[in-house]
Amino acid sequence: MNDKFDRAPGAGRTRGAPADPRLPVNVGGSDAETSLFNQREPLRQPRTVPPFPEITTNATAGLPGGNPRTLDNPLQSGSFSYASVSRGDNNVDSMVRTSTLSASAPEFVPFGMSSYEEPAHYDDSESYYSESSLADTVTDFLGHLSSSPGSFESDVECITSMLNSWVTTEELLKELVELIFTQSTAIPNFSYTGARLCNYLSHHIALSPQSGNFRQLLLQRCRIEYEQRIEAVRGTPEAQKKFHSFVLFLGELYLNLEIRSGKGPPNRADILLSALKELLESLLSHPVDANLICAVKLLKLTGSILDDAWKKSGVPHMEELVRRIETILLDATCSRDVRQMLLKLVELRSSNWGRACMAATASNATPDNDPNYYM
C-alpha cells in the first residue's frame, strides 16, 4: 500500500491548485500541514454586501478631484475596506472643497421647455383686495332674498343702512333702481319680494336728488316698459314673456307700495291703478294664450283690490273687463285650458272674488239654520 495514502476524509485534497512539488512535504509533521494550508487560494468575497462599507479611492472616480477612471466593481476589486471607515469624513470634506457646484448657478431647463416663471406675489394686506362694487353687493343680497325670502325682515334693515352709506350720488341711485327692477322682472317668483323691498327702500333711502327720490325713479323706470305695451303684446314670445313678468311685478307693486302723507293712513299709488287698467285692456286686445294667461294671473292677484277701488270711485271698469272676457269666450280661438281658466275667473268674480259672505246676525240665528246656536 502506498505510504502517502491517507484514510482521513478529504486527505490529500486542497482548495484550488495543488501545492508546488518543489516545496518540501513532511506528511507526519505539523510544519508540513502549515505550509500546505498556506498555499491555498484565498477565500472568495461574500455574496452579500457588508453593512456600511467604505468605498476606497476607486469609488471617487468621475467626481471632482477623483480618479477619472470608470468606477470599479467593489465586489471584484475588493475596494470595500472596513479599515477606511475612519477616513470617511476626510473624504467627504475633500469632495466638498473640490466641488465646482454653486448654489447661485442657473436652474436646469430641459430642451424644448420654457423656463419656469415665478408665481405672482400676492399681498395679503387689505389694500390688495379691491372693494366690491354696488352691483355685486346688491346682486348678492337679491340672490340671498330670492333663495331665502323668509329672512327679509331680519336682513332688510342691515342692507338699507349699508346702501345709505354707499349710494351718495344720483347715478348710484339710478343704478340701484335698475338692479332691483331687473331682478324683480327677470325672476317671476321674486316679484313679491322685490315689491316689498321697493316699498321699504322708498321710505328709508335718504338720498333724494333733483331728478327724484327712490320711489319716483322706480315709477319712471316702470313707465318706460308701460309705454311699450302695444308692441310687446304682439311681439315675439321672448318679448311677450318679458312684458308679462313686468305686468305681474307692477301688480305686486300696486299691492305693496305705500304712499304716506301727513298723519293719515298710507295710500296706494293711484297712478298704478290706471296703469293696470290699460295693461289689462292691452292684453285682452290680442287674445292669444300667453296674453290671456297673464291677464288671468293679474286679475286673480289684484282683482278684488281693483274692483273695490273702482267701485269706490264710481267707475264700472271691472264690469267692462268681465264683458270683454265673456266675448273672448264666445269668439276667440283660444285653447281649451285657457278657456277653462277664463270661465273660472268669471265665476270667481261673481262670488265676490272668493271672499266669505257676511254671517247671519244673531237675531236671525235659530237651531235650524245655525249649527252653533247652543254654543
Side-chain angles (χ1 to χ4, degrees), residues 346-357:
V346 174
E347 294 177 1
L348 182 63
R349 198 263 173 173
S350 62
S351 64
N352 195 18
W353 304 102
R355 291 178 285 194
C357 299

Side-chain angles (χ1 to χ4, degrees), residues 152-164:
F152 178 85
E153 297 292 343
S154 59
D155 297 340
V156 68
E157 184 177 355
C158 177
I159 189 63
T160 302
S161 61
M162 182 186 301
L163 292 176
N164 277 325

Side-chain angles (χ1 to χ4, degrees), residues 237-258:
E238 291 76 12
Q240 290 182 1
K241 183 178 179 179
K242 181 181 178 182
F243 176 71
H244 298 159
S245 299
F246 162 71
V247 171
L248 296 178
F249 169 68
L250 202 66
E252 294 285 3
L253 199 62
Y254 174 71
L255 298 178
N256 291 276
L257 188 61
E258 299 176 346

Side-chain angles (χ1 to χ4, degrees), residues 43-101:
L43 297 176
R44 62 177 176 83
Q45 294 292 335
R47 295 181 181 275
T48 58
V49 180
F52 304 105
E54 179 63 28
I55 301 177
T56 56
T57 310
N58 289 338
T60 62
L63 295 177
N67 193 345
R69 293 184 295 106
T70 307
L71 286 173
D72 297 333
N73 189 346
L75 297 179
Q76 296 178 358
S77 61
S79 56
F80 290 110
S81 176
Y82 291 98
S84 62
V85 173
S86 59
R87 299 193 302 270
D89 296 339
N90 297 332
N91 294 338
V92 173
D93 293 340
S94 62
M95 291 166 56
V96 172
R97 288 194 299 270
T98 59
S99 175
T100 59
L101 300 178

Side-chain angles (χ1 to χ4, degrees), residues 165-223:
S165 61
W166 203 322
V167 179
T168 56
T169 62
E170 180 181 352
E171 289 75 14
L172 292 176
L173 183 60
K174 291 182 179 180
E175 182 181 359
L176 175 63
V177 171
E178 183 66 28
L179 290 171
I180 297 177
F181 177 84
T182 302
Q183 181 82 359
S184 302
T185 55
I187 304 176
N189 294 333
F190 189 73
S191 58
Y192 169 69
T193 305
R196 293 181 63 193
L197 180 61
C198 291
N199 176 62
Y200 189 89
L201 295 180
S202 65
H203 300 294
H204 295 86
I205 291 294
L207 183 64
S208 180
Q210 296 180 356
S211 59
N213 53 22
F214 179 88
R215 183 182 70 250
Q216 293 170 344
L217 293 177
L218 176 64
L219 295 178
Q220 292 176 13
R221 181 62 183 88
C222 294
R223 186 177 182 84

Side-chain angles (χ1 to χ4, degrees), residues 284-285 287 292 323-334 339 342:
L284 297 177
S285 63
L292 294 177
R323 285 195 297 267
R324 194 159 188 175
I325 292 175
E326 293 173 349
T327 303
I328 293 173
L329 287 172
L330 297 175
D331 299 337
T333 58
C334 56
R339 190 180 299 274
L342 294 175

